[in-house]
Amino acid sequence: MTEREKYRTPGKRRRRTKGAGALFQRKDGMWIGRVEVPDELDPKRYRSQVSAADKAIALEKLEQLKLDIAQGVEQIKMGVTVETWMLQWVEHKKPHLAPKVYKSYLATARQQIIPAIGNVRLPHLKPAHIRYLVEYCTTATKEIVVDGEKQAVPKWKSRTIQVAYDRIKQALDDARKERPPLVRENVAELVPRPKAVSEEIPHHTAEQARAVISTALHRRNPYVSLIAARYLTAMRRGELLGLEEDRIDFDNLTIDKSWQLQWLPLKEGMKYSDDPDRYDAPRDYEVRPLYYGAALVRPKSRKSYLIPMPPELAAILQVYLETREPNEYGLVWASGKGKPIQFASDAELWEDAQAAAEVPIIPGHGGRHTANNLLEIPEDDRMKILGQSTVTANRIYRKVNLDRARAGMGEFSRLLLPEVIVPKELRR
């Protein structure tokens, strides 16, 4: 080497064009293709890379990587898994969901989606993964004890599986709408939506319902009026437990079920607070605070409407309201301490009433479906009374013919209730 060459100032190395990428071989023989990806929201430098043992394959992957970046697929987040995105997505949705719905979204993500395909990276999702999710939920089992023996039964119902599919489809659709998008396409759209099989909800016959009410009456059950209302109005549990005195019209024999009781999650540090803003709920969520986590919220329909009240039930409620101890919340039914009734306590008293009458034990909404099966009135009026919102019940928002519906419910209640429940002074 000459003296001139020895001390010559080296020239500047020519920089590669941004996004052109680099291909090199590591000491272990693997070929690495790497592209620098700028992020306008973060000044840090990010590199996305591919690898292969064969140089030609690595080069092919590198070209695909550059094409993906040019098309907007966010390669800096290629490591984001379904689990990470689902949990982020649910939190993004939280401000727009009712607390109960948010809890349902989170449960679906944690119990069905994440255990099945949570470790798959978003851009690597294929229709096969969605089919596996459906299969995973369909074949999962749990053990129950029947007559002293353990039996394996399906862990989730078909509707739960359908909801899991709906949630991953929603989440992927929003991932595609991100800028830059997180996925190339919504692969859930390429897989048929699983069907939900309608299951008959257990309910009581008229004779069994009459036995429950009669037994509660003879045992002086303080909640006999609540038990009767569960059968005779087909109201949901929250609507019953959140019913206020001033929403019962004895003159016109109607009940306004525009509010329902819910136990809502509280913000951190507000467990025993009476701050009206203590609930962890969206800002536009209509809440009327009651007692700690208890509050009145709008029902699912978000529409106030009246339902007819059978004369027999009106008689029971009049006697009950005249003799019971009022509570500070104006609720028709309250706990022994005058507080809103916990859902668990309601379930217990409902089960005890059935056990005392020696009838099959059915869940609380079984009483609602007892009314649904026994009310002999036109379908559109019955659907209005029950507040159901299926496709076949779109007429729910019509104004119900109260006189016709009340006549139908009167026939039902006469079938259901023995005359002894109606005091003489209130009989017609």
Side-chain angles (χ1 to χ4, degrees):
M1 178 182 295
T2 64
E3 195 72 14
R4 182 175 179 180
E5 291 174 336
K6 182 177 180 180
Y7 294 102
R8 185 176 62 184
T9 302
K12 293 184 178 179
R13 296 181 61 183
R14 181 178 298 176
R15 292 179 58 88
R16 292 188 303 273
T17 303
K18 285 187 177 180
L23 183 68
F24 60 92
Q25 189 176 31
R26 289 195 313 224
K27 292 182 179 180
D28 61 3
M30 289 292 291
W31 286 91
I32 306 298
R34 183 175 293 169
V35 180
E36 183 176 325
V37 184
D39 186 354
E40 296 178 357
L41 301 181
D42 194 327
K44 295 180 181 179
R45 297 172 61 191
Y46 293 92
R47 292 186 180 90
S48 187
Q49 68 179 38
V50 293
S51 61
D54 183 87
K55 181 178 180 180
I57 295 177
L59 183 59
E60 183 180 343
K61 287 185 176 182
L62 177 61
E63 293 304 316
Q64 181 62 49
L65 176 60
K66 291 191 289 184
L67 179 61
D68 288 342
I69 293 175
Q71 292 178 344
V73 177
E74 191 178 9
Q75 295 299 322
I76 60 174
K77 292 188 177 178
M78 285 291 285
V80 173
T81 62
V82 172
E83 176 178 5
T84 301
W85 173 244
M86 285 303 304
L87 296 179
Q88 290 178 356
W89 178 74
V90 171
E91 292 307 312
H92 292 161
K93 302 288 287 185
K94 183 178 180 180
H96 311 289
L97 301 174
K100 192 174 180 180
V101 177
Y102 161 74
K103 186 177 180 180
S104 172
Y105 272 52
L106 191 59
T108 299
R110 288 177 171 172
Q111 295 176 17
Q112 285 92 42
I113 298 175
I114 292 175
I117 58 174
N119 63 336
V120 180
R121 295 180 180 181
L122 277 182
H124 295 169
L125 271 177
K126 294 179 174 60
H129 293 110
I130 306 302
R131 288 193 291 270
Y132 176 75
L133 166 64
V134 174
E135 181 183 359
Y136 169 83
C137 295
T138 304
T139 58
T141 61
K142 64 180 180 181
E143 285 190 346
I144 62 172
V145 178
V146 179
D147 296 331
E149 295 184 1
K150 292 183 178 180
Q151 292 185 5
V153 298
K155 189 173 184 179
W156 295 300
K157 296 182 179 180
S158 58
R159 175 55 185 158
T160 303
I161 301 171
Q162 189 181 67
V163 169
Y165 169 87
D166 291 342
R167 295 296 172 262
I168 187 65
K169 183 179 179 181
Q170 288 176 268
L172 291 178
D173 195 42
D174 285 344
R176 185 172 56 181
K177 295 175 183 177
E178 288 285 302
R179 289 297 178 267
L182 303 182
V183 294
R184 300 178 181 86
E185 62 179 340
N186 187 342
V187 294
E189 295 177 348
L190 306 177
V191 178
R193 185 180 189 230
K195 294 182 179 180
V197 180
S198 299
E199 299 180 6
E200 183 178 356
I201 297 177
H203 59 275
H204 286 153
T205 64
E207 290 73 20
Q208 290 169 339
R210 181 167 55 242
V212 173
I213 296 175
S214 298
T215 303
L217 180 70
H218 294 314
R219 287 174 172 254
R220 299 186 180 278
N221 188 320
Y223 294 104
V224 64
S225 56
L226 174 58
I227 296 170
R230 178 172 265 115
Y231 283 125
L232 291 174
T233 65
M235 292 170 67
R236 296 181 174 88
R237 177 177 61 181
E239 294 168 345
L240 284 169
L241 300 183
L243 182 60
E244 299 163 289
E245 276 189 69
D246 58 9
R247 288 192 279 118
I248 300 178
D249 187 341
F250 289 106
D251 294 329
N252 296 303
L253 293 181
T254 59
I255 295 176
D256 174 9
K257 52 178 208 174
S258 57
W259 294 92
Q260 63 178 344
L261 176 68
Q262 286 290 338
W263 291 84
L264 304 177
L266 301 176
K267 295 178 180 177
E268 187 175 354
M270 291 194 173
K271 185 175 181 180
Y272 300 107
S273 172
D274 58 359
D275 186 332
D277 192 36
R278 61 185 177 271
Y279 303 103
D280 187 10
R283 290 186 177 276
D284 60 347
Y285 196 62
E286 288 189 83
V287 177
R288 290 174 53 198
L290 292 179
Y291 172 77
Y292 294 140
L296 293 179
V297 303
R298 290 293 187 185
K300 290 193 297 185
S301 65
R302 288 189 172 275
K303 183 176 181 180
S304 173
Y305 57 88
L306 303 178
I307 63 170
M309 177 172 54
E312 291 83 353
L313 178 60
I316 295 173
L317 289 178
Q318 279 186 324
V319 172
Y320 168 73
L321 292 175
E322 288 174 0
T323 57
R324 64 102 200 220
E325 185 72 25
N327 59 81
E328 61 179 300
Y329 309 103
L331 298 174
V332 174
W333 296 285
S335 70
K337 297 181 178 180
K339 306 301 181 185
I341 298 176
Q342 294 272 0
F343 287 169
S345 299
D346 172 67
E348 184 177 354
L349 69 88
W350 169 241
E351 184 173 331
D352 289 346
Q354 296 174 84
E358 299 181 348
V359 299
I361 305 297
I362 63 175
H365 58 275
R368 168 181 166 81
H369 285 270
T370 298
N372 188 18
N373 283 279
L374 297 180
L375 283 175
E376 296 180 357
I377 61 176
E379 180 185 2
D380 54 347
D381 289 348
R382 183 174 73 251
M383 300 302 282
K384 172 68 179 180
I385 291 169
L386 297 181
Q388 295 174 348
S389 57
T390 61
V391 175
T392 59
N394 283 333
R395 290 165 291 183
I396 183 177
Y397 298 108
R398 290 186 188 177
K399 178 175 175 59
V400 66
N401 185 323
L402 291 182
D403 291 333
R404 183 172 55 166
R406 188 181 298 112
M409 292 192 75
E411 289 297 320
F412 166 71
S413 55
R414 279 191 285 276
L415 170 71
L416 180 65
L417 296 176
E419 288 186 359
V420 69
I421 286 184
V422 183
K424 290 184 178 180
E425 60 273 19
L426 294 180
R427 291 181 195 168
R428 294 190 177 186

